[in-house]
Structures are given as structure tokens and as C-alpha cells.
Amino acid sequence: MRIGVFQFSPKWGDIGYNLAAISDTIFYYKGVELWVLPELCTTGYVFESKKDLEPLAEVFPSGKTSEAMEEVTRTSGTTVIMGVLEKLGENYFNSAAVFSKGFFMGIYRKIHLFNEEKHLFTPGFESPPVFRVKDVKIGVMICFDWIFPEVARTLALSGAMIIAHPANLVLPYCQDAMITRSIENRVFTVTANRVGTEQIGSKPPVTFTGKSQIVSPTGERLGVLSENEENVLIVDIDPSEALDKNITKLNNLFEDRNPDVYKL
Ligand code: ACM
């Protein structure tokens, strides 16, 4: 399976501009079967208050992002997992939408909100989902979910072979930690981070750390981008490698678990 990550700096508040940049990239790099894009990649990340969210939030699967991505994935035959700003009822969610071959497949709402996101968004209330593309099971989590190993574990136990991880990372630890998430679950992880700095209104500037990466089930970085440049990372993987949960002849990652003794 050919996987693509588009690391870029979204134009704040301009969904049309960002969708055009995403579509152009997908059409340019033909043959990518799964694209993973950054968190909140259609809107930008920093908001002064919920009032800023209202004009940018979309109901899924209606609105311009759904319309554009259904069209792009239909004509290019690809699957896209991307961070979006979702409105559901009166609540706003930091979500990841999944589109495949012309269809909206579903949405994941970020469970673990980071820092000031807590003033803006409602935390997700459902288990992280696993989607199937051909025979490949793909799980979704968003950015700060990385620091809760339960999320990646839940996805792996649900059969995920690849974890798609849209991100807007600001702390320096995640990219290294995701190597562990891959090893401890024996799954591929695809972290799509953004670059650039956002300074909005009275808010202090936020700089994002780039270094988007794709990691193998044994913790090898199969590809990594720079910390500050917009770029595309494309890697071919064999997703079935993630089905082998044997660490030694006598140790199987899932069979050796003993949940009865964990206080979780
Ligand atoms: C983050 O969760 N965007 C750091």
C-alpha cells in the first residue's frame, strides 16, 4: 500500500484555499492509496474563542470539505484521513474525517484535548474507530491522543494494522513516542504533522514541530520530513506485516497480555 503524508502550513481561516492545496497535492502524486493530513488542516489551529469557530465549523458529511473530498477521492480512487473542525448540535469537535473513493466513511472526535483546546472543543465520547480499505484495517487517533497509550492499544486490539495520526504537535516528544506506540502494538503509525507558526489576535504564537513520519511495526522510521518545510512523504508498505504479533517464539503481544492484573 502506498501511503502519503502532506505536511503543510494551512492558511488560517481559509477552508477554500486549504482544500485547493490538498486537492492539488493529491492529484499531483498519483497512485497514493492512503493520504494522512494534519489536524485541523482546513482551518488552522489557534482560536481566541468559540465565536471564531462558528463560521469555520462544518457539519459532516455536508459542507465544502465533504463535497471537495468526496470528489477528490472519487476521481483519484484514494482514501484521505484529515483533521477537520466539526459542528455537531451545539458542540464543536476537533475531528478527523475519513473519505474513500467518493464516499464519506466516518469521523473520529478527538478524545484527549490539549491545553487551550479545552476552552473550545467538546471531547470525543466514542471509541477510536477502525476503517477498512480493501483488506487493510486503519485506525484513527488525533495528536495529543498519543500520550495516552490506551488509544493506540484500543485501535490495535480492534484490528488496526495502520494508525493514521493527524497532528498539530507543539511538544517535542511525540515523534519519538510514536516509535514506541508502533513497537508496543506492532502496527504502522503515520503521523501527519503541520509546520509554521500561528499568531491569532491576542493569543501567543504557536509553532508546530513538523517531522511527519511513517513508522514500521518494529519501530523503524520508514520516512520522515523536516521540522519546518512543507513537503510530501510517500512510503510503500506491506500492511500485513502488522498482523504478526509474535515478539519471540514464546511471546505474543496480545496473548501475553494479562488485563486482570492491570489497574486501568
Ligand atoms: C495537540 O494535540 N494538537 C498538541
Side-chain angles (χ1 to χ4, degrees):
M1 175 179 248
R2 181 160 295 178
I3 300 185
V5 170
F6 180 27
Q7 169 173 293
F8 70 113
S9 179
K11 188 165 177 183
W12 190 91
D14 196 337
I15 296 177
Y17 180 94
N18 295 320
L19 285 174
I22 291 165
S23 307
D24 288 351
T25 301
I26 291 173
F27 285 128
Y28 185 80
Y29 293 93
K30 293 189 193 342
V32 172
E33 293 165 273
L34 171 66
W35 281 99
V36 186
L37 308 178
E39 180 182 12
L40 292 170
C41 69
T42 54
T43 59
Y45 179 77
V46 177
F47 299 97
E48 285 194 284
S49 74
K50 281 192 191 187
K51 273 205 218 91
D52 292 348
L53 302 181
E54 179 56 31
L56 297 170
E58 297 181 83
V59 175
F60 285 80
S62 54
K64 39 188 169 184
T65 295
S66 299
E67 200 181 306
M69 298 318 295
E70 283 167 8
E71 174 65 14
V72 168
T73 58
R74 186 181 63 75
T75 45
S76 62
T78 195
T79 297
V80 176
I81 299 179
M82 60 191 297
V84 295
L85 172 43
E86 184 193 12
K87 184 166 190 187
L88 181 69
E90 292 308 303
N91 297 305
Y92 301 103
F93 292 90
N94 179 340
S95 299
V98 182
F99 300 92
S100 188
K101 297 173 189 165
F103 296 98
F104 170 74
M105 305 275 284
I107 203 151
Y108 164 64
R109 304 185 177 101
K110 185 177 185 180
I111 295 169
H112 302 100
L113 299 176
F114 178 71
N115 204 5
E116 304 223 357
E117 290 173 32
K118 291 193 172 194
H119 298 143
L120 302 167
F121 300 112
T122 302
F125 48 84
E126 290 169 322
S127 279
V130 175
F131 298 90
R132 189 189 277 263
V133 175
K134 286 199 244 164
D135 285 339
V136 182
K137 292 184 178 174
I138 305 166
V140 186
M141 62 186 221
I142 300 177
C143 206
F144 193 52
D145 285 330
W146 71 266
I147 209 165
F148 301 89
E150 295 88 345
V151 180
R153 179 67 99 209
T154 300
L155 290 168
L157 288 172
S158 304
M161 299 149 79
I162 300 169
I163 293 180
H165 181 214
N168 276 187
L169 295 161
V170 292
L171 300 177
Y173 325 113
C174 172
Q175 290 88 340
D176 288 343
M178 288 307 290
I179 290 179
T180 304
R181 294 293 96 79
S182 273
I183 294 170
E184 69 196 1
N185 293 294
R186 289 179 83 87
V187 293
F188 292 91
T189 56
V190 182
T191 297
N193 194 15
R194 62 160 289 177
V195 288
T197 298
E198 261 180 21
Q199 204 280 305
I200 304 298
S202 59
K203 291 286 177 196
V206 176
T207 297
F208 304 94
T209 58
K211 293 187 190 166
S212 296
Q213 64 182 19
I214 299 176
V215 181
S216 79
T218 50
E220 189 190 346
R221 271 195 180 102
L222 302 175
V224 61
L225 295 178
S226 80
E227 65 188 300
N228 50 20
E229 284 164 335
E230 297 195 337
N231 210 341
V232 167
L233 173 65
I234 295 178
V235 171
D236 288 320
I237 66 157
D238 176 359
S240 69
E241 284 174 24
L243 297 174
D244 176 9
K245 301 299 182 190
N246 293 314
I247 298 160
T248 70
K249 251 188 345 217
L250 299 179
N251 293 104
N252 181 282
L253 188 61
F254 287 169
E255 288 163 14
D256 284 6
R257 292 176 70 245
N258 191 352
D260 290 345
V261 300
Y262 309 144
K263 294 192 170 49
L264 291 176

